[in-house]
Amino acid sequence: MARIALIPGDGIGLEVVREARRVLEVVATAESLDLTLDDWDLGAERFLREGVSITDAEFQALSDDYDAILLGALGDPRVPTNQHAKDILLGMRFKLDLYVNYRPCALLSPDLSPLGSPPAELRLDIFRENTEGAYTGMGGSFKTGTPDEVSLEENIATRKGVERIIRAAFAFAESRGRSRVTLVDKANVQRFVGGLWRRVFEEVGSEYPDIDRDGMYVDAMAMDLVRRPGRYEVIVASNLFGDIISDLAAEVTGGLGLAPSANIHPGRHALFEPVHGSAPDIAGTERANPLGAIRCVGLLLDHLGHAEAGERVERSAVASFRAGCTTPDLGGEASTGDVGSWIVKHLETSYAHGD
Ligand code: NAD
Ligand code: IPM
Ligand code: MN
């Protein structure tokens, strides 16, 4: 028996998690998986209604009672401080110590890429450090709002934090037969933090003599991901640089609406979420692409030990796109629910045929 917490959150999170849930239910029935799906009401509505984003008891329950969490997105124009999103999403990343933010980006079809002539095969696996860097909230502001204001926002790198994400990237590269790991940083300016990342990268990388390693400054990397993305395979970066590079890599490989991600503490906790946000500009219009969330279901099933079922979900997601059943972001006219229904049907048919 596995228990899954579903947190749709805000905006299009509600629409895409609704479809992801249907996909999960179809697979659970067909594979006789004993899954319990619990809906969690965490998001802007609750925050505005009760003045509470998430309680300690809720963190405890999410930590102790679940095998995995599936989250849609958090962010609402009615909460301009984004306080609830920080409390809930960053709260889970920090409190559950989900130090690996794995963001796989694969180009499903060349015509999906905004690049003129993308490589025939393009797969970028991003390992984003998820528990420190510029995200800890360590800092403050003095003489706030006056002409003498001083504001600080620290960039934290610990030996432990840097080493464990670099190890995760190299171990992944080795297990998947990838030939190169690239470190993205700004070591030419950030000497201390950058220096630590470079030293640990060399040290850990030297344990993997068959895997090439190189370091790229983040500005040059942004350029090169557009110029020659096929040069890269596995990418490891700090929290902030990984956040930026992962939106770029998602767009280069077909669009933000397609990209899934996993926030993991190996052996302990896992939270899956599409890379995109709550997209207030299209929320409630059924124009959201649910593929990022549905592909999260693939990652989640794989995480629970059902790798074949996960691959089946991925195949059905790809098939929906190939069949032309796509939302407007990919040039189609299908609604969020149409894409979900297409995938549900495709899965049912493939199970019925024993494919
Ligand atoms: P966003 O990812 O929500 O949207 C960026 C653009 O991409 C928008 O034009 C949007 O319409 C489009 N888009 C995103 N997902 C799409 C999908 N599935 N289908 C079709 N189009 C899609 O980023 P933003 O506008 O910078 O942020 C909006 C809110 O979401 C903010 O509050 C932000 O903090 C939050 N956010 C949350 C998460 C998360 O919960 N993991 C991630 C990113 C942003
Ligand atoms: C992401 C988002 C979050 C981040 C925000 C919403 C806090 O952009 O998951 O990529 O910056 O990590
Ligand atoms: Mn982001």
Side-chain angles (χ1 to χ4, degrees), residues 150-178:
V150 180
S151 290
L152 288 177
E153 199 97 52
E154 298 294 346
N155 182 19
I156 311 297
T158 66
R159 163 83 205 195
K160 173 184 149 190
V162 170
E163 183 174 341
R164 63 186 183 173
I165 187 68
I166 290 175
R167 284 202 177 279
F170 276 101
F172 173 89
E174 184 177 55
S175 71
R176 304 290 170 104
R178 314 308 300 278

PDB file of all heavy atoms in Angstrom, residues 150-178:
ATOM      1  N   VAL A 150      19.855  49.262   3.823  1.00  0.00           N
ATOM      2  CA  VAL A 150      20.848  48.215   3.536  1.00  0.00           C
ATOM      3  C   VAL A 150      20.093  46.889   3.525  1.00  0.00           C
ATOM      4  O   VAL A 150      19.396  46.580   4.490  1.00  0.00           O
ATOM      5  CB  VAL A 150      21.925  48.149   4.645  1.00  0.00           C
ATOM      6  CG1 VAL A 150      22.949  47.060   4.336  1.00  0.00           C
ATOM      7  CG2 VAL A 150      22.607  49.502   4.812  1.00  0.00           C
ATOM      8  N   SER A 151      20.205  46.122   2.446  1.00  0.00           N
ATOM      9  CA  SER A 151      19.529  44.825   2.378  1.00  0.00           C
ATOM     10  C   SER A 151      20.529  43.739   2.051  1.00  0.00           C
ATOM     11  O   SER A 151      21.395  43.926   1.187  1.00  0.00           O
ATOM     12  CB  SER A 151      18.436  44.839   1.306  1.00  0.00           C
ATOM     13  OG  SER A 151      17.383  45.649   1.719  1.00  0.00           O
ATOM     14  N   LEU A 152      20.390  42.618   2.757  1.00  0.00           N
ATOM     15  CA  LEU A 152      21.295  41.480   2.547  1.00  0.00           C
ATOM     16  C   LEU A 152      20.490  40.222   2.270  1.00  0.00           C
ATOM     17  O   LEU A 152      19.460  39.994   2.898  1.00  0.00           O
ATOM     18  CB  LEU A 152      22.118  41.212   3.820  1.00  0.00           C
ATOM     19  CG  LEU A 152      23.210  42.174   4.213  1.00  0.00           C
ATOM     20  CD1 LEU A 152      23.815  41.736   5.545  1.00  0.00           C
ATOM     21  CD2 LEU A 152      24.298  42.195   3.146  1.00  0.00           C
ATOM     22  N   GLU A 153      20.955  39.413   1.362  1.00  0.00           N
ATOM     23  CA  GLU A 153      20.319  38.117   1.083  1.00  0.00           C
ATOM     24  C   GLU A 153      21.491  37.163   0.866  1.00  0.00           C
ATOM     25  O   GLU A 153      22.194  37.271  -0.145  1.00  0.00           O
ATOM     26  CB  GLU A 153      19.473  38.235  -0.184  1.00  0.00           C
ATOM     27  CG  GLU A 153      18.427  37.178  -0.353  1.00  0.00           C
ATOM     28  CD  GLU A 153      17.047  37.655   0.116  1.00  0.00           C
ATOM     29  OE1 GLU A 153      16.624  38.723  -0.323  1.00  0.00           O
ATOM     30  OE2 GLU A 153      16.440  36.931   0.921  1.00  0.00           O
ATOM     31  N   GLU A 154      21.695  36.256   1.789  1.00  0.00           N
ATOM     32  CA  GLU A 154      22.926  35.466   1.739  1.00  0.00           C
ATOM     33  C   GLU A 154      22.866  34.326   0.727  1.00  0.00           C
ATOM     34  O   GLU A 154      21.809  33.788   0.435  1.00  0.00           O
ATOM     35  CB  GLU A 154      23.234  34.887   3.128  1.00  0.00           C
ATOM     36  CG  GLU A 154      23.476  35.935   4.190  1.00  0.00           C
ATOM     37  CD  GLU A 154      24.729  36.765   3.953  1.00  0.00           C
ATOM     38  OE1 GLU A 154      25.564  36.374   3.113  1.00  0.00           O
ATOM     39  OE2 GLU A 154      24.888  37.800   4.617  1.00  0.00           O
ATOM     40  N   ASN A 155      24.018  33.950   0.219  1.00  0.00           N
ATOM     41  CA  ASN A 155      24.144  32.815  -0.691  1.00  0.00           C
ATOM     42  C   ASN A 155      24.918  31.737   0.061  1.00  0.00           C
ATOM     43  O   ASN A 155      26.128  31.839   0.243  1.00  0.00           O
ATOM     44  CB  ASN A 155      24.901  33.254  -1.950  1.00  0.00           C
ATOM     45  CG  ASN A 155      25.035  32.135  -2.958  1.00  0.00           C
ATOM     46  OD1 ASN A 155      24.304  31.157  -2.914  1.00  0.00           O
ATOM     47  ND2 ASN A 155      25.985  32.282  -3.874  1.00  0.00           N
ATOM     48  N   ILE A 156      24.196  30.724   0.531  1.00  0.00           N
ATOM     49  CA  ILE A 156      24.793  29.730   1.431  1.00  0.00           C
ATOM     50  C   ILE A 156      25.239  28.489   0.667  1.00  0.00           C
ATOM     51  O   ILE A 156      24.458  27.907  -0.075  1.00  0.00           O
ATOM     52  CB  ILE A 156      23.752  29.255   2.482  1.00  0.00           C
ATOM     53  CG1 ILE A 156      23.049  30.432   3.164  1.00  0.00           C
ATOM     54  CG2 ILE A 156      24.383  28.307   3.504  1.00  0.00           C
ATOM     55  CD1 ILE A 156      23.945  31.330   3.960  1.00  0.00           C
ATOM     56  N   ALA A 157      26.477  28.083   0.876  1.00  0.00           N
ATOM     57  CA  ALA A 157      26.921  26.801   0.319  1.00  0.00           C
ATOM     58  C   ALA A 157      27.652  26.053   1.412  1.00  0.00           C
ATOM     59  O   ALA A 157      28.617  26.573   1.985  1.00  0.00           O
ATOM     60  CB  ALA A 157      27.844  27.022  -0.867  1.00  0.00           C
ATOM     61  N   THR A 158      27.166  24.868   1.725  1.00  0.00           N
ATOM     62  CA  THR A 158      27.879  24.052   2.711  1.00  0.00           C
ATOM     63  C   THR A 158      28.581  22.918   1.974  1.00  0.00           C
ATOM     64  O   THR A 158      28.124  22.474   0.913  1.00  0.00           O
ATOM     65  CB  THR A 158      26.917  23.438   3.748  1.00  0.00           C
ATOM     66  OG1 THR A 158      26.063  22.498   3.094  1.00  0.00           O
ATOM     67  CG2 THR A 158      26.093  24.502   4.436  1.00  0.00           C
ATOM     68  N   ARG A 159      29.661  22.459   2.553  1.00  0.00           N
ATOM     69  CA  ARG A 159      30.396  21.341   1.965  1.00  0.00           C
ATOM     70  C   ARG A 159      29.445  20.139   1.773  1.00  0.00           C
ATOM     71  O   ARG A 159      29.414  19.510   0.723  1.00  0.00           O
ATOM     72  CB  ARG A 159      31.558  20.985   2.897  1.00  0.00           C
ATOM     73  CG  ARG A 159      32.193  19.650   2.700  1.00  0.00           C
ATOM     74  CD  ARG A 159      33.218  19.697   1.592  1.00  0.00           C
ATOM     75  NE  ARG A 159      33.388  18.373   1.022  1.00  0.00           N
ATOM     76  CZ  ARG A 159      34.401  18.027   0.245  1.00  0.00           C
ATOM     77  NH1 ARG A 159      35.326  18.908  -0.070  1.00  0.00           N
ATOM     78  NH2 ARG A 159      34.486  16.833  -0.246  1.00  0.00           N
ATOM     79  N   LYS A 160      28.650  19.869   2.820  1.00  0.00           N
ATOM     80  CA  LYS A 160      27.730  18.731   2.770  1.00  0.00           C
ATOM     81  C   LYS A 160      26.694  18.908   1.657  1.00  0.00           C
ATOM     82  O   LYS A 160      26.428  17.989   0.877  1.00  0.00           O
ATOM     83  CB  LYS A 160      27.033  18.623   4.133  1.00  0.00           C
ATOM     84  CG  LYS A 160      25.919  17.609   4.201  1.00  0.00           C
ATOM     85  CD  LYS A 160      25.249  17.664   5.579  1.00  0.00           C
ATOM     86  CE  LYS A 160      23.779  17.306   5.470  1.00  0.00           C
ATOM     87  NZ  LYS A 160      23.024  17.563   6.689  1.00  0.00           N
ATOM     88  N   GLY A 161      26.129  20.113   1.584  1.00  0.00           N
ATOM     89  CA  GLY A 161      25.071  20.361   0.603  1.00  0.00           C
ATOM     90  C   GLY A 161      25.578  20.274  -0.825  1.00  0.00           C
ATOM     91  O   GLY A 161      24.924  19.718  -1.707  1.00  0.00           O
ATOM     92  N   VAL A 162      26.753  20.829  -1.052  1.00  0.00           N
ATOM     93  CA  VAL A 162      27.336  20.832  -2.399  1.00  0.00           C
ATOM     94  C   VAL A 162      27.721  19.406  -2.792  1.00  0.00           C
ATOM     95  O   VAL A 162      27.433  18.939  -3.899  1.00  0.00           O
ATOM     96  CB  VAL A 162      28.563  21.776  -2.426  1.00  0.00           C
ATOM     97  CG1 VAL A 162      29.346  21.627  -3.706  1.00  0.00           C
ATOM     98  CG2 VAL A 162      28.119  23.220  -2.225  1.00  0.00           C
ATOM     99  N   GLU A 163      28.334  18.705  -1.855  1.00  0.00           N
ATOM    100  CA  GLU A 163      28.824  17.360  -2.190  1.00  0.00           C
ATOM    101  C   GLU A 163      27.677  16.401  -2.519  1.00  0.00           C
ATOM    102  O   GLU A 163      27.738  15.631  -3.470  1.00  0.00           O
ATOM    103  CB  GLU A 163      29.676  16.800  -1.037  1.00  0.00           C
ATOM    104  CG  GLU A 163      30.246  15.437  -1.385  1.00  0.00           C
ATOM    105  CD  GLU A 163      31.220  14.897  -0.332  1.00  0.00           C
ATOM    106  OE1 GLU A 163      31.746  15.685   0.480  1.00  0.00           O
ATOM    107  OE2 GLU A 163      31.451  13.672  -0.348  1.00  0.00           O
ATOM    108  N   ARG A 164      26.590  16.476  -1.741  1.00  0.00           N
ATOM    109  CA  ARG A 164      25.553  15.461  -1.963  1.00  0.00           C
ATOM    110  C   ARG A 164      24.829  15.644  -3.289  1.00  0.00           C
ATOM    111  O   ARG A 164      24.435  14.672  -3.925  1.00  0.00           O
ATOM    112  CB  ARG A 164      24.600  15.385  -0.766  1.00  0.00           C
ATOM    113  CG  ARG A 164      23.799  16.638  -0.491  1.00  0.00           C
ATOM    114  CD  ARG A 164      23.017  16.471   0.816  1.00  0.00           C
ATOM    115  NE  ARG A 164      22.180  17.633   1.065  1.00  0.00           N
ATOM    116  CZ  ARG A 164      21.312  17.701   2.047  1.00  0.00           C
ATOM    117  NH1 ARG A 164      21.170  16.701   2.894  1.00  0.00           N
ATOM    118  NH2 ARG A 164      20.570  18.784   2.218  1.00  0.00           N
ATOM    119  N   ILE A 165      24.673  16.888  -3.758  1.00  0.00           N
ATOM    120  CA  ILE A 165      23.987  17.063  -5.052  1.00  0.00           C
ATOM    121  C   ILE A 165      24.947  16.709  -6.204  1.00  0.00           C
ATOM    122  O   ILE A 165      24.535  16.115  -7.213  1.00  0.00           O
ATOM    123  CB  ILE A 165      23.395  18.494  -5.210  1.00  0.00           C
ATOM    124  CG1 ILE A 165      22.538  18.598  -6.470  1.00  0.00           C
ATOM    125  CG2 ILE A 165      24.463  19.566  -5.234  1.00  0.00           C
ATOM    126  CD1 ILE A 165      21.258  17.801  -6.450  1.00  0.00           C
ATOM    127  N   ILE A 166      26.228  17.011  -6.033  1.00  0.00           N
ATOM    128  CA  ILE A 166      27.191  16.640  -7.084  1.00  0.00           C
ATOM    129  C   ILE A 166      27.292  15.118  -7.171  1.00  0.00           C
ATOM    130  O   ILE A 166      27.315  14.542  -8.267  1.00  0.00           O
ATOM    131  CB  ILE A 166      28.562  17.307  -6.812  1.00  0.00           C
ATOM    132  CG1 ILE A 166      28.456  18.816  -7.040  1.00  0.00           C
ATOM    133  CG2 ILE A 166      29.646  16.690  -7.694  1.00  0.00           C
ATOM    134  CD1 ILE A 166      29.708  19.608  -6.702  1.00  0.00           C
ATOM    135  N   ARG A 167      27.292  14.462  -6.023  1.00  0.00           N
ATOM    136  CA  ARG A 167      27.322  12.987  -6.031  1.00  0.00           C
ATOM    137  C   ARG A 167      26.081  12.421  -6.725  1.00  0.00           C
ATOM    138  O   ARG A 167      26.161  11.470  -7.493  1.00  0.00           O
ATOM    139  CB  ARG A 167      27.394  12.432  -4.598  1.00  0.00           C
ATOM    140  CG  ARG A 167      28.731  12.555  -3.979  1.00  0.00           C
ATOM    141  CD  ARG A 167      28.997  11.588  -2.834  1.00  0.00           C
ATOM    142  NE  ARG A 167      30.363  11.797  -2.383  1.00  0.00           N
ATOM    143  CZ  ARG A 167      31.436  11.291  -2.964  1.00  0.00           C
ATOM    144  NH1 ARG A 167      31.304  10.483  -4.003  1.00  0.00           N
ATOM    145  NH2 ARG A 167      32.639  11.564  -2.536  1.00  0.00           N
ATOM    146  N   ALA A 168      24.927  13.034  -6.444  1.00  0.00           N
ATOM    147  CA  ALA A 168      23.687  12.552  -7.069  1.00  0.00           C
ATOM    148  C   ALA A 168      23.780  12.683  -8.595  1.00  0.00           C
ATOM    149  O   ALA A 168      23.341  11.792  -9.334  1.00  0.00           O
ATOM    150  CB  ALA A 168      22.489  13.333  -6.540  1.00  0.00           C
ATOM    151  N   ALA A 169      24.365  13.779  -9.065  1.00  0.00           N
ATOM    152  CA  ALA A 169      24.468  13.998 -10.518  1.00  0.00           C
ATOM    153  C   ALA A 169      25.395  12.967 -11.160  1.00  0.00           C
ATOM    154  O   ALA A 169      25.065  12.376 -12.203  1.00  0.00           O
ATOM    155  CB  ALA A 169      24.972  15.417 -10.795  1.00  0.00           C
ATOM    156  N   PHE A 170      26.547  12.723 -10.546  1.00  0.00           N
ATOM    157  CA  PHE A 170      27.487  11.747 -11.132  1.00  0.00           C
ATOM    158  C   PHE A 170      26.927  10.323 -11.040  1.00  0.00           C
ATOM    159  O   PHE A 170      27.067   9.539 -11.983  1.00  0.00           O
ATOM    160  CB  PHE A 170      28.858  11.838 -10.457  1.00  0.00           C
ATOM    161  CG  PHE A 170      29.724  12.922 -11.043  1.00  0.00           C
ATOM    162  CD1 PHE A 170      29.872  14.146 -10.401  1.00  0.00           C
ATOM    163  CD2 PHE A 170      30.392  12.723 -12.250  1.00  0.00           C
ATOM    164  CE1 PHE A 170      30.658  15.151 -10.950  1.00  0.00           C
ATOM    165  CE2 PHE A 170      31.187  13.722 -12.811  1.00  0.00           C
ATOM    166  CZ  PHE A 170      31.317  14.944 -12.161  1.00  0.00           C
ATOM    167  N   ALA A 171      26.296  10.003  -9.929  1.00  0.00           N
ATOM    168  CA  ALA A 171      25.731   8.647  -9.792  1.00  0.00           C
ATOM    169  C   ALA A 171      24.649   8.428 -10.846  1.00  0.00           C
ATOM    170  O   ALA A 171      24.554   7.353 -11.457  1.00  0.00           O
ATOM    171  CB  ALA A 171      25.149   8.465  -8.382  1.00  0.00           C
ATOM    172  N   PHE A 172      23.841   9.455 -11.089  1.00  0.00           N
ATOM    173  CA  PHE A 172      22.802   9.362 -12.121  1.00  0.00           C
ATOM    174  C   PHE A 172      23.456   9.157 -13.493  1.00  0.00           C
ATOM    175  O   PHE A 172      23.050   8.278 -14.260  1.00  0.00           O
ATOM    176  CB  PHE A 172      21.962  10.644 -12.123  1.00  0.00           C
ATOM    177  CG  PHE A 172      20.981  10.729 -13.257  1.00  0.00           C
ATOM    178  CD1 PHE A 172      19.697  10.216 -13.113  1.00  0.00           C
ATOM    179  CD2 PHE A 172      21.327  11.317 -14.465  1.00  0.00           C
ATOM    180  CE1 PHE A 172      18.786  10.286 -14.165  1.00  0.00           C
ATOM    181  CE2 PHE A 172      20.429  11.388 -15.516  1.00  0.00           C
ATOM    182  CZ  PHE A 172      19.164  10.873 -15.370  1.00  0.00           C
ATOM    183  N   ALA A 173      24.472   9.982 -13.787  1.00  0.00           N
ATOM    184  CA  ALA A 173      25.135   9.882 -15.097  1.00  0.00           C
ATOM    185  C   ALA A 173      25.686   8.474 -15.303  1.00  0.00           C
ATOM    186  O   ALA A 173      25.524   7.866 -16.364  1.00  0.00           O
ATOM    187  CB  ALA A 173      26.253  10.923 -15.195  1.00  0.00           C
ATOM    188  N   GLU A 174      26.308   7.935 -14.260  1.00  0.00           N
ATOM    189  CA  GLU A 174      26.878   6.589 -14.385  1.00  0.00           C
ATOM    190  C   GLU A 174      25.783   5.542 -14.587  1.00  0.00           C
ATOM    191  O   GLU A 174      25.870   4.693 -15.477  1.00  0.00           O
ATOM    192  CB  GLU A 174      27.681   6.248 -13.127  1.00  0.00           C
ATOM    193  CG  GLU A 174      28.378   4.904 -13.246  1.00  0.00           C
ATOM    194  CD  GLU A 174      29.232   4.586 -12.031  1.00  0.00           C
ATOM    195  OE1 GLU A 174      28.687   4.608 -10.908  1.00  0.00           O
ATOM    196  OE2 GLU A 174      30.430   4.321 -12.209  1.00  0.00           O
ATOM    197  N   SER A 175      24.706   5.662 -13.800  1.00  0.00           N
ATOM    198  CA  SER A 175      23.656   4.636 -13.887  1.00  0.00           C
ATOM    199  C   SER A 175      22.913   4.694 -15.217  1.00  0.00           C
ATOM    200  O   SER A 175      22.374   3.701 -15.671  1.00  0.00           O
ATOM    201  CB  SER A 175      22.674   4.773 -12.723  1.00  0.00           C
ATOM    202  OG  SER A 175      21.892   5.934 -12.902  1.00  0.00           O
ATOM    203  N   ARG A 176      22.882   5.862 -15.865  1.00  0.00           N
ATOM    204  CA  ARG A 176      22.173   5.979 -17.152  1.00  0.00           C
ATOM    205  C   ARG A 176      23.106   5.958 -18.350  1.00  0.00           C
ATOM    206  O   ARG A 176      22.698   6.242 -19.470  1.00  0.00           O
ATOM    207  CB  ARG A 176      21.368   7.289 -17.210  1.00  0.00           C
ATOM    208  CG  ARG A 176      20.385   7.480 -16.096  1.00  0.00           C
ATOM    209  CD  ARG A 176      19.201   6.502 -16.212  1.00  0.00           C
ATOM    210  NE  ARG A 176      18.409   6.552 -14.999  1.00  0.00           N
ATOM    211  CZ  ARG A 176      17.242   7.165 -14.886  1.00  0.00           C
ATOM    212  NH1 ARG A 176      16.722   7.776 -15.921  1.00  0.00           N
ATOM    213  NH2 ARG A 176      16.596   7.157 -13.737  1.00  0.00           N
ATOM    214  N   GLY A 177      24.384   5.696 -18.098  1.00  0.00           N
ATOM    215  CA  GLY A 177      25.342   5.636 -19.205  1.00  0.00           C
ATOM    216  C   GLY A 177      25.565   6.972 -19.895  1.00  0.00           C
ATOM    217  O   GLY A 177      25.843   7.028 -21.093  1.00  0.00           O
ATOM    218  N   ARG A 178      25.431   8.068 -19.161  1.00  0.00           N
ATOM    219  CA  ARG A 178      25.669   9.392 -19.762  1.00  0.00           C
ATOM    220  C   ARG A 178      27.155   9.693 -19.683  1.00  0.00           C
ATOM    221  O   ARG A 178      27.843   9.257 -18.754  1.00  0.00           O
ATOM    222  CB  ARG A 178      24.882  10.501 -19.058  1.00  0.00           C
ATOM    223  CG  ARG A 178      23.433  10.189 -18.763  1.00  0.00           C
ATOM    224  CD  ARG A 178      22.634   9.705 -19.954  1.00  0.00           C
ATOM    225  NE  ARG A 178      22.566  10.620 -21.064  1.00  0.00           N
ATOM    226  CZ  ARG A 178      21.730  11.648 -21.165  1.00  0.00           C
ATOM    227  NH1 ARG A 178      20.892  11.895 -20.201  1.00  0.00           N
ATOM    228  NH2 ARG A 178      21.730  12.423 -22.222  1.00  0.00           N
TER     229      ARG A 178
END
